[in-house]
Amino acid sequence: MTTHCAGRKNASMPSWALGSCTSAWPAYAVEENSAGDVSFSLFRPEGTIELESALADHGITADITVLPADTMCAPGRFPGERDWPHWLPVPDAGGGDTTQLVPAGSLQDGQTLVVVYMGTLEDRQPGATAATSLAIADGPVGDCVPIEVPMTPSVEQA
């Protein structure tokens, strides 16, 4: 098992000790198990570039975007962006779990894992939407153009 934390590799460090990699809370964590499954978490928005690099060390090309709460990327970043393989979760609105799992062999050569964090734990406010969305691009990924998340009326508002 290899663990990355805020840009450092340490094969002997258990996953529960990721917070002790640095004096501050780590920006991200990446861990590969013996089956080749890769799990990752982003804890601070400034860790996106380093997380992309750490995932590349595990053979995963990734495009990671962090947006403010209640925003999302406008549709049209890449072809097939609404087609999810069976192992990808649908966007997780408001879920507390920040760890994502990429099963071994799930991505083919030339594919990019597209990860969008919409809202962070730091900017979570009552009523705000926070979510993580994962998709796979078979070609180039365009820039994220942030737009407001369309709100659906609640039962109380209807």
Side-chain angles (χ1 to χ4, degrees), residues 30-50:
V30 176
E31 186 173 35
E32 184 171 337
N33 66 21
S34 59
D37 303 330
V38 176
S39 60
F40 65 93
S41 298
L42 180 68
F43 303 115
R44 295 196 325 255
E46 65 272 14
T48 57
I49 293 170
E50 293 86 0

Side-chain angles (χ1 to χ4, degrees), residues 8-105:
R8 297 188 209 173
K9 288 184 186 179
N10 185 338
S12 63
M13 184 177 59
S15 59
W16 54 264
L18 291 176
S20 64
C21 288
T22 64
S23 58
W25 187 256
Y28 69 90
V30 176
E31 186 173 35
E32 184 171 337
N33 66 21
S34 59
D37 303 330
V38 176
S39 60
F40 65 93
S41 298
L42 180 68
F43 303 115
R44 295 196 325 255
E46 65 272 14
T48 57
I49 293 170
E50 293 86 0
L51 176 56
E52 287 174 355
S53 177
L55 288 169
D57 289 346
H58 291 272
I60 297 172
T61 301
D63 181 294
I64 300 173
T65 303
V66 177
L67 297 173
D70 297 323
T71 60
M72 60 186 264
C73 295
R77 289 182 73 194
F78 55 92
E81 66 186 327
R82 299 277 182 228
D83 301 329
W84 290 297
H86 71 283
W87 61 269
L88 278 178
V90 295
D92 175 20
D97 188 11
T98 59
T99 301
Q100 307 300 323
L101 177 71
V102 181

